[in-house]
């Protein structure tokens, strides 16, 4: 039985050969039965962290315990206690779905008969019974994630590590995966999930940590984090006109001095300001833009999202759009021998 | 015992992966048949050279076809492993609580199996075109066992290439590494009839002694003076390469 938290991380650091500092002294704990999210942009250190927790990658410093076991001293026991589905980690395309699961089962110590029974159960659970005898290589993206998830569950692990389980999936498949995860968590499985999708973290995670440049920038329940932003978010899209830089800088400076404005930044989409009361602040913000010679195309007031929480702590937004492309480029160049780590 | 159980399951998976790609097998058999056709036919007249040890050039060539097929299978094994590394399947295995050595063993055994199957196919082709095995059935069995061991050894070289470079462009071209091993031999001509630096280089190539032993079994029968050096060198090479692959594997997975 697990004593203490399901995951305990203290002062974890990872420097890759060549000097890249991927994880820079993070500490957190995940309680048993919790649904914990690790949220951050691509390259923030999420995958590195999950690989260290799952014993696939050695750490540079710090202490890591999973299921009450030290990952360095007892890697085998840790592996037996956890289930893992990583983003870039590997399905066996030439194997049939059922064979893939049965092999996972016997490698985790199940007997062949047990593995067969369990595979049938899990194929049913993830809705892949009808394609069980087809090769994994013929599966769609959503089916691949589900067979991978089923593989991670073959030995009934108490802790599940999932690296971006829905990245690249269509909306319907994402919801299906989410429902499976919620059901597992309801049955008592501790889930540690990384994601770069705010909506995913918001819906699934009871608690989450935000990571950026290898450091934790915020931690708490989604509601707590959003409340921490403390007010409304005003987005202003504007037409920069003739002299963009000066006008924009002047408007930003003016907005920052307005009463009730806690934070204001400019990004590609325009200005984003955190204010106590959106309705009260909007007229003054519009005036500031007019004074700077900028015409406003659109102004909206929203309740804070997790995106705004991230913005508040890092001054940047998490960009979903270009993240997948980066990951693919990285993998491609790595395997072509261009950019070896 | 646990290692054997785990290796067995990983081996069966590797076997299924191989059998799921029938063109790999067809190509392997065809390439060997082509060797007899494209080298054996035009060079047929070599047997008339004074001092040439065989009457049937195809019989002389058979040892080369067998040994070369197995030597180049090392390059295939490099690609097999790299494919599993690229797809992340190796990591998937490493995430499981199996012994690291089981994964290596399950992979090396498939190298041996592939070599064994290919050599069996070559022997059938050779027999079909009239090559007689002087060593008899026992000789054929001995050649198959030897080829299996050599397949494991060359698989080790392939694994080292894949793990060291982790690169498609290097691994795809790793047959270049095996080329001198296969061709700096008495492949087409007995060593006595070779000359100059080539003859010296052939004498330094361990694969040459294995080829000589295989050829002895085929064209002369059980001539131990020719066979024993090949056996010792095969055993030593296999042992050294398994050691090297194990070391490299530990290094890459820790």
């Amino acid at each position: 039985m697990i004593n203490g938290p399901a995951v305990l991380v203290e002062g974890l650091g990872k420097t890759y050969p060549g000097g890249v500092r991927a994880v820079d002294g993070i500490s957190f704990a995940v309680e048993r039965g919790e649904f914990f999210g690790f949220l951050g942009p691509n390259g923030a250190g999420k995958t590195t962290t999950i690989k260290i927790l799952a014993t696939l990658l050695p750490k540079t410093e710090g202490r890591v315990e999973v299921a009450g076991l030290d990952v360095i001293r007892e890697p085998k026991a840790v592996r037996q206690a956890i289930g893992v589905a990583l983003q870039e980690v590997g399905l066996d395309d030439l194997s049939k779905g059922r064979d893939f699961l049965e092999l996972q089962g016997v490698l985790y110590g199940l007997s062949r008969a047990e593995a067969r029974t369990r595979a049938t159960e899990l194929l049913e659970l993830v809705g892949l019974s009808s394609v069980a005898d087809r090769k994994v290589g013929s599966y769609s993206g959503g089916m691949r994630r589900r067979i991978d998830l089923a593989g991670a569950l073959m030995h009934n692990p108490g802790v599940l590590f999932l690296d971006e389980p829905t990245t690249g999936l269509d909306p319907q498949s994402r919801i299906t995966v989410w429902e499976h995860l919620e059901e597992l968590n309801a049955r008592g499985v501790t889930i540690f999930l990384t994601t770069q999708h705010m909506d995913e973290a918001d819906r699934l995670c009871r608690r989450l940590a935000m990571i950026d440049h290898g450091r934790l920038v915020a931690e708490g329940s989604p509601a707590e984090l959003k409340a921490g932003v403390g007010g409304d978010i005003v987005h202003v899209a504007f037409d920069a006109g003739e002299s963009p830089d000066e006008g924009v800088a002047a408007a930003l400076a003016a907005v920052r001095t307005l009463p009730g404005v806690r934070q204001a930044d400019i990004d590609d989409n325009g200005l984003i300001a955190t204010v106590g009361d959106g309705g009260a602040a909007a007229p003054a913000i519009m005036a500031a833009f007019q004074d700077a010679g900028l015409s406003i195309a659109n102004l909206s007031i929203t309740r804070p999202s997790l995106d705004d929480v991230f913005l508040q702590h890092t001054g940047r937004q998490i960009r979903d759009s270009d993240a997948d492309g980066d990951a693919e480029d990285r993998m491609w160049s790595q395997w072509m021998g261009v950019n070896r780590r | 015992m646990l290692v054997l159980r785990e290796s067995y399951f990983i081996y069966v998976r590797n076997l299924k992966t191989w059998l799921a790609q029938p063109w790999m097998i067809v190509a392997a058999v065809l390439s060997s048949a082509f060797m007899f056709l494209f080298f054996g036919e035009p060079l047929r007249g070599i047997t008339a050279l004074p001092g040439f040890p065989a009457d049937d050039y195809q019989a002389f060539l058979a040892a080369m076809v067998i040994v070369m097929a197995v030597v180049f299978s090392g390059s295939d094994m490099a690609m097999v492993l790299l494919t599993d590394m690229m797809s992340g399947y190796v990591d998937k295995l490493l995430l499981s609580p199996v012994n690291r050595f089981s994964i290596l063993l399950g992979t090396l055994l498939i190298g041996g199996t592939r070599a064994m199957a290919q050599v069996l196919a070559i022997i059938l082709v050779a027999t079909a075109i009239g090559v007689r095995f002087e060593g008899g059935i026992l000789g054929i069995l001995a050649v198959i066992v030897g080829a299996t061991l050599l397949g494991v050894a060359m698989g080790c070289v392939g694994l080292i290439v894949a793990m060291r470079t982790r690169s498609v462009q290097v691994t795809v071209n790793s047959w270049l590494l095996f080329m001198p091993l296969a061709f700096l031999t008495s492949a087409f001509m007995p060593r006595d009839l070779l000359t100059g630096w080539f003859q010296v280089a052939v004498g330094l190539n361990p694969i040459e002694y294995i080829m000589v032993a295989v050829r002895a079994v085929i064209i002369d029968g059980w001539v131990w003076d020719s066979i024993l050096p090949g056996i010792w060198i095969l055993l030593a090479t296999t042992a050294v390469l398994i050691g090297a692959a194990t070391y490299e594997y530990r290094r890459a997975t820790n």
Side-chain angles (χ1 to χ4, degrees):
Chain A
M1 202 56 228
I2 301 174
N3 294 312
V7 179
L8 182 67
V9 173
E10 280 175 4
L12 173 64
K14 173 69 185 179
T15 307
Y16 283 106
V20 176
R21 182 79 171 156
V23 177
D24 193 14
I26 61 173
S27 302
F28 62 91
V30 180
E31 296 305 323
R32 270 185 284 164
E34 212 172 10
F35 202 135
F36 186 87
F38 219 48
L39 180 65
N42 212 292
K46 302 190 298 294
T47 300
T48 299
T49 304
I50 208 169
K51 282 185 174 171
I52 292 170
L53 298 186
T55 75
L56 199 55
L57 202 62
K59 60 190 164 61
T60 309
E61 77 261 342
R63 180 168 146 227
V64 179
E65 283 181 14
V66 172
L69 303 157
D70 187 290
V71 292
I72 299 300
R73 279 200 294 271
E74 298 174 273
K76 230 170 164 171
V78 170
R79 289 175 195 134
Q80 186 69 52
I82 64 175
V84 189
L86 296 183
Q87 201 187 353
E88 292 166 17
V89 168
L91 290 170
D92 188 9
D93 282 348
L94 290 170
S95 138
K96 292 173 185 164
R98 184 189 302 279
D99 290 353
F100 170 74
L101 293 186
E102 287 181 8
L103 178 59
Q104 281 287 108
V106 294
L107 294 181
Y108 279 85
L110 303 189
S111 74
R112 279 193 194 186
E114 285 167 341
R116 205 168 302 138
T117 314
R118 183 85 178 129
T120 306
E121 280 170 24
L122 285 171
L123 284 163
E124 189 68 39
L125 176 78
V126 300
L128 292 176
S129 300
S130 61
V131 292
D133 294 313
R134 263 170 54 186
K135 287 193 178 130
V136 172
S138 71
Y139 286 11
S140 71
M143 289 155 84
R144 290 172 74 84
R145 294 303 168 105
R146 283 184 279 150
I147 196 82
D148 202 15
L149 183 61
L153 294 170
M154 278 298 286
H155 60 296
N156 250 320
V159 188
L160 198 53
F161 289 94
L162 305 169
D163 190 19
E164 309 215 0
T166 67
T167 294
L169 295 192
D170 61 81
Q172 187 53 48
S173 305
R174 292 182 79 197
I175 291 168
T176 312
V177 171
W178 287 350
E179 284 168 353
H180 290 316
L181 298 183
E182 283 168 335
E183 192 184 329
L184 287 167
N185 185 239
R187 290 188 196 177
V189 178
T190 307
I191 300 183
F192 179 102
L193 161 149
T194 72
T195 182
Q196 49 185 313
H197 302 294
M198 300 293 164
D199 54 341
E200 182 163 278
D202 211 352
R203 164 162 174 174
L204 294 175
C205 303
R206 257 178 277 168
R207 214 156 55 82
L208 49 93
M210 288 188 172
I211 183 168
D212 189 39
H213 296 308
R215 293 188 182 177
L216 292 192
V217 294
E219 196 183 330
S221 72
E224 282 166 9
L225 289 169
K226 284 186 280 189
V229 175
D232 294 339
I233 308 298
V234 179
H235 293 256
V236 182
F238 54 83
D239 180 3
E242 295 289 305
S243 55
D245 292 346
E246 290 159 31
V248 172
L252 180 62
V255 168
R256 279 179 172 161
T257 62
L258 293 174
V261 174
R262 304 206 179 123
Q263 191 183 356
D265 291 289
I266 299 282
D267 73 359
D268 297 345
N269 299 322
L271 174 128
I272 300 176
T274 310
V275 300
D277 180 337
I285 292 175
M286 287 165 75
F289 273 80
Q290 270 152 19
D291 293 347
L294 299 168
S295 61
I296 293 179
N298 183 26
L299 182 146
S300 64
I301 301 168
T302 49
R303 300 294 305 158
S305 68
L306 287 175
D307 225 339
D308 301 312
V309 177
F310 191 81
L311 179 75
Q312 186 191 33
H313 288 283
T314 65
R316 295 184 299 115
Q317 282 185 300
I318 295 185
R319 298 223 175 279
D320 289 353
S321 51
D322 50 16
D324 291 347
D326 283 356
E328 254 169 47
D329 287 351
R330 216 178 39 243
M331 233 170 99
W332 182 241
S333 55
Q334 184 186 345
W335 288 114
M336 291 313 285
V338 178
N339 178 25
R340 281 175 49 209
R341 257 209 315 244
Chain B
M1 278 322 284
L2 189 60
V3 169
L4 287 185
R5 176 184 190 266
E6 293 168 351
S7 315
Y8 168 76
F9 286 124
I10 292 169
Y11 169 76
V12 170
R13 176 265 169 185
N14 291 337
L15 189 64
K16 283 184 180 170
T17 302
W18 182 47
L19 296 176
Q21 305 174 84
W23 273 107
M24 303 286 279
I25 300 164
V26 172
V29 174
L30 269 184
S31 71
S32 299
F34 282 171
M35 289 280 194
F36 284 118
L37 191 64
F38 298 142
F39 290 108
E41 281 305 313
L43 297 177
R44 186 175 277 283
I46 290 184
T47 50
L49 284 177
F52 198 87
D55 299 330
D56 176 4
Y57 190 65
Q58 300 286 23
F60 181 87
L61 203 62
M64 167 274 212
V65 178
I66 288 169
V67 171
M68 195 170 290
V70 178
V71 167
F72 281 114
S73 75
S75 178
D76 294 345
M77 284 306 294
M79 209 53 224
V80 165
L81 183 71
L82 192 76
T83 306
D84 280 347
M85 285 163 68
M86 283 172 68
S87 73
Y89 193 71
V90 169
D91 279 346
K92 185 117 235 148
L93 292 176
L94 292 175
L95 281 167
S96 77
V98 300
N99 193 305
R100 275 39 197 150
F101 191 69
S102 306
I103 306 175
L104 179 65
L105 195 59
T107 307
L108 290 181
L109 286 177
I110 196 67
T113 305
R114 292 172 63 139
M116 184 174 79
Q118 183 158 13
V119 167
L120 194 63
I122 294 170
I123 289 172
L124 290 176
V125 171
T127 310
I129 60 170
V131 172
R132 281 197 51 218
F133 284 74
E134 295 297 332
I137 293 289
L138 272 183
I140 289 176
L141 282 178
V143 167
I144 291 173
V145 170
T148 307
L149 266 189
L150 186 60
V152 171
M154 293 297 115
C156 289
V157 178
L159 298 196
I160 293 169
V161 169
M163 288 186 293
R164 266 282 152 142
T165 68
R166 294 174 167 257
S167 153
V168 174
Q169 55 168 334
V170 174
T171 304
V172 163
N173 291 306
S174 64
W175 51 270
L176 277 170
L177 183 69
F178 295 95
M179 225 169 151
L181 286 179
F183 283 101
L184 281 177
T185 54
S186 57
F188 302 106
M189 191 79 89
R191 184 140 59 107
D192 299 344
L193 299 183
L194 299 172
T195 53
W197 67 266
F198 196 90
Q199 189 185 40
V200 175
V202 168
L204 296 173
N205 180 3
I207 298 296
E208 162 65 6
Y209 298 90
I210 298 168
M211 195 182 284
V212 165
V214 172
R215 179 171 298 126
V217 172
I218 298 173
I219 64 177
D220 298 322
W222 298 92
V223 181
W224 291 105
D225 284 351
S226 304
I227 295 171
L228 276 179
I231 292 177
W232 298 134
I233 284 179
L234 175 61
L235 292 176
T237 308
T238 309
V240 168
L241 287 173
I242 288 178
T246 307
Y247 170 80
E248 196 60 36
Y249 190 76
R250 285 239 170 88
R251 205 188 63 97
T253 55
N254 273 334

